[in-house]
Amino acid sequence: MEEIEKRKATIQESQKALEDAKEVSEKHLERIEELEQTLFELRGKIGTGNHVPPGMRVLCLRDNPAQQWSDLRQEIMDRLKNENSALIKRLKELEENGASSDQSTERRQGEELVPRESWEVVNKEKKELEDVVKQKEKRLLRLQQVFTAKSTEFRETIASILGLKLAFYPNGQVRVTSIYDLSASFVFQPLSKSTPEGEGARMQLVAQGEGGPQDLPQLMRFWVEQEQCIPGFLASVTLECYDKSKRENGDNP
């Protein structure tokens, strides 16, 4: 009998120890769940850069990009909330007065159909778009001014280096004038077909001025018709016009 009682006591102690172990295990599981939830929340904060470890203090400027973005987002949210509330209020008024209102009431409601908050939002967006258009117009004007200045600089450079003035027309034609003889001008236009050698579009002479060197027909026949070399033709004309201008200036000091 004593041995049986000892076994019973041992079994009871084992059961009690088992129950205690189960309670401890349940507490540990609850703690693990809490830690996992905390870890999940910390991952989100760390990913967004909002986590501040205990015992640390983060200082930042009052006007910083993150704060500006937060203020802008909050401003948009507040504006949308106000607009939504006004629309809901107006919708309830229309539902309450829609069935029993007469024509005058309907006319008055039609005049106040759009809430003031919605009108302010639309007006603000309109002003923002107008500002964007003004900025683009200023930018376009600036680009046009820069293009005009660069074009003038390009033409002056060509005149200084090659002794030729260039004028470009919208139809693709180019008028070339010698700075040594302003009456010696030639108009060229690009050919529509490219050359077999793959050199791209070439120019052809379509008109000429009244001036130029005396042997201009011979130069045109040789350089333009036979050699088909516009640069050689213009170089020869420039040399002839320069010699002519130098002789005239030498005769009439």
Side-chain angles (χ1 to χ4, degrees), residues 13-32:
E13 291 177 357
S14 300
Q15 290 179 350
K16 185 178 180 181
L18 180 60
E19 291 177 356
D20 294 339
K22 287 182 178 180
E23 292 180 358
V24 173
S25 177
E26 291 177 356
K27 291 181 180 179
H28 287 169
L29 290 175
E30 293 177 356
R31 181 59 178 169
I32 290 173

Side-chain angles (χ1 to χ4, degrees), residues 140-155:
L140 180 60
L141 179 60
R142 178 58 180 167
L143 290 176
Q144 291 177 348
Q145 293 175 351
V146 172
F147 177 77
T148 302
K150 290 297 181 180
S151 300
T152 303
E153 182 181 355
F154 171 75
R155 288 194 293 267

Side-chain angles (χ1 to χ4, degrees), residues 8 56 61 71 75 96 120 124 137 156 191 215 253:
K8 288 182 178 180
M56 295 186 64
L61 297 176
D71 295 341
E75 180 183 355
E96 293 175 356
E120 290 178 352
K124 184 178 180 181
E137 288 179 350
E156 291 177 353
L191 294 172
D215 56 346

Side-chain angles (χ1 to χ4, degrees), residues 177-191:
T177 305
S178 175
I179 62 174
Y180 303 108
D181 187 358
L182 298 180
S183 61
S185 61
F186 308 92
V187 179
F188 299 90
Q189 72 176 9
L191 294 172

